[in-house]
């Protein structure tokens, strides 16, 4: 039985989808005004693991992810600058070009991290009508009010508002730190539709029954999730920062429009934090420098080393990023691939996954996606020399359906020169050493190292190996 932690109940519970055998999954997608940082990518890796585990358990998964390309404001509290306009100004492009560029960049990141694409991608700008329709429904049901700034959701009309966050509303009212928009009735109220400023044309704006403007951020996910997955959802995911505001507001909108419970499971990935760079350790796109997958590959890391790093920690534990930890993940990845390659050589048709290791792995995966434990089952099967190599390889391939390292497809980089040539160079070097021409001998060794071949002098003679990246 698959057991998953549910943020609503704060418990690990047996998972059961609404429709037997099929799971409707919605995950909040990227805001495409900049590259995703590796913190964002941690959340997407977690969602990918979830999806793979669901499939591994035999469920068919229908996965929808949105692309936030409407220019929302930099703070969750409906204030600050428009993110898309910020990106466009920074790069001297149109907001539409910015959205295309960063969505492409995001899909490239996904591919490099082996994240399976959603079945449906939906862009906020292509679903303005659906969002307006949802606001209209909320208006009809009596949950909205209009002020100078826009149409707002009145959270006081909903007795269980904030149930996901286990929010204490009286406390929130009393100690309201949240900056208030003029006319907003409660600190937790949020914009459903924002009006364009009277004296200025926004780069992105649309007509609506209430006036020209743009949708609030939270409405897009609710509108598109309902459109593509129907009125009842099995699982909705995101990072933990979305619990208090974004997801609480999504629930309020969807349930007040539909008139019933909307989503059964809410799952959230804990944050990736930077080792003591600033006091909060929080990585943020608006505060300058942040790490992207490109920065990791430019520094010589395999993108999948980052996947390995993420899988080494449980998704509900904070993960502290350090370059040392990434080094460790990279060498673990190399080891996994090389050992699998050795086993592959002995793999033949008819080899079977080894049940006791599969059981261990399955148990770990089904226990709220415990990837550190699942990985250790993979390491144990690699090490078990008492079992037939072919069966060990078959076991690893089965596990890799969840781990997603692509061990079956992996091939070592081809050598830049042939093995015969390497052998010739080694002989020339041995000859040079015999003649005490150490300069030539060293030159040959350095030239080979330059193209990734390391020499080692052993009592049996000089051997070569591929230098580790
Ligand atoms: P955003 O583009 O800001 O909506 O973020 C995309 C996803 O990344 C959301 O699900 C966030 O909750 C998540 N996220 C943001 N920062 C981090 C972080 N440091 N670690 C893990 N997930 C994060
Ligand atoms: Zn969302």
């Amino acid at each position: 039985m698959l057991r998953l932690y549910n943020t609503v109940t704060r418990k690990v519970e047996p998972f059961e989808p609404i429709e037997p055998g099929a799971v409707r999954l919605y995950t909040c997608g990227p805001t495409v005004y900049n590259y995703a940082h590796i913190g964002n990518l941690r959340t997407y890796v977690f969602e990918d693991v979830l999806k793979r585990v669901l499939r591994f358990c035999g469920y068919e998964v229908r996965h929808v992810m949105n692309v936030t390309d409407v220019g929302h404001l930099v703070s969750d509290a409906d204030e600050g600058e428009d993110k898309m306009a910020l990106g466009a100004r920074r790069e001297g492009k149109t907001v539409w070009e910015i959205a295309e560029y960063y969505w492409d960049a995001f899909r490239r990141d996904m591919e490099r991290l082996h994240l399976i694409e959603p079945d449906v991608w939906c862009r906020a700008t292509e679903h303005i009508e659906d969002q307006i329709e949802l606001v209209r429904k909320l208006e009809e049901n009596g949950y909205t009010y209009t002020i100078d700034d826009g149409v707002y959701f009145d959270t006081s009309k909903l007795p269980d508002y904030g149930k996901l966050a286990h929010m204490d509303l009286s406390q929130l009212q009393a100690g309201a730190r949240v900056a208030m928009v003029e006319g907003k009735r409660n600190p937790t109220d949020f914009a459903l539709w924002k009006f364009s400023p009277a004296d200025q044309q926004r780069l992105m704006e649309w007509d609506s029954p209430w006036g020209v403007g743009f949708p609030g951020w939270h409405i897009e996910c609710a509108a598109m999730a309902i459109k593509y997955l129907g009125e009842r959802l099995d699982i909705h995911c995101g990072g933990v920062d979305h619990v208090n505001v974004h997801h609480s507001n999504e629930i309020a909108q969807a349930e007040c429009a539909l008139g019933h419970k909307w989503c059964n499971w809410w799952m959230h990935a804990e944050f990736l934090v930077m080792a003591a760079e600033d006091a909060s350790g929080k990585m943020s796109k608006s505060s300058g420098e942040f790490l992207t997958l490109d920065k990791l590959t430019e520094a010589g890391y395999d993108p999948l080393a980052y996947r390995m790093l993420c899988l080494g920690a449980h998704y509900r534990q904070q993960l502290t990023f350090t370059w040392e930890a990434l080094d460790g993940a990279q060498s673990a990845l190399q080891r996994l691939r090389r050992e699998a390659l050795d086993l592959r050589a002995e793999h033949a048709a008819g080899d079977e996954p080894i049940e006791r290791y599969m059981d261990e792995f399955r148990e770990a995966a089904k226990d709220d996606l415990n990837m550190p434990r699942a990985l250790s089952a993979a390491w144990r099967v690699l090490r078990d020399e008492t079992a037939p190599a072919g069966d060990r390889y078959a076991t690893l391939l089965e596990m890799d359906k969840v781990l997603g390292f692509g061990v079956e497809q992996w091939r070592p980089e081809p050598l830049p020169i042939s093995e015969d040539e390497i052998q010739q160079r080694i002989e020339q070097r041995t000859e040079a050493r015999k003649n005490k021409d150490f300069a030539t001998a060293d030159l040959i060794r350095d030239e080979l190292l330059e193209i990734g071949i390391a020499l080692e002098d052993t009592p049996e003679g000089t051997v070569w190996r591929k230098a580790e990246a």
Side-chain angles (χ1 to χ4, degrees), residues 2 56 94 153 200 205 225 280 359 398 454-455:
L2 174 61
F56 191 70
T94 68
F153 186 101
Q200 179 196 335
E205 58 182 16
S280 74
D359 278 349
E398 197 57 24
L455 299 187

Side-chain angles (χ1 to χ4, degrees), residues 28-31 33 37-44 47 68 83 217 237-242 269-273 282-283 285:
C28 291
T31 305
Y33 76 114
H37 61 55
I38 57 170
N40 303 135
L41 294 174
R42 182 190 189 197
T43 291
Y44 298 115
E47 291 162 354
T68 301
K83 287 182 185 169
W217 171 36
C237 303
V240 277
D241 57 326
H242 284 347
E270 248 304 339
F271 260 35
L272 175 88
V273 296
K282 194 177 157 186
M283 192 180 308
K285 284 181 212 177

Side-chain angles (χ1 to χ4, degrees), residues 408-464:
E408 189 170 17
Q409 294 76 32
W410 185 75
R411 298 286 177 278
E413 294 271 316
L415 291 170
I417 57 173
S418 73
E419 297 197 15
D420 282 350
E421 278 170 293
I422 300 174
Q423 220 48 55
Q424 269 174 27
R425 302 293 286 149
I426 289 178
E427 279 156 28
Q428 285 164 4
R429 177 170 171 269
T430 311
E431 197 54 37
R433 275 157 49 111
K434 260 193 218 144
N435 299 333
K436 304 223 178 312
D437 179 3
F438 296 111
T440 303
D442 287 351
L443 186 68
I444 293 173
R445 192 197 52 210
D446 292 348
E447 279 173 355
L448 285 174
L449 193 60
E450 192 82 353
I451 55 171
I453 290 149
L455 299 187
E456 200 181 329
D457 297 313
T458 72
E460 287 80 41
T462 305
V463 292
W464 66 270

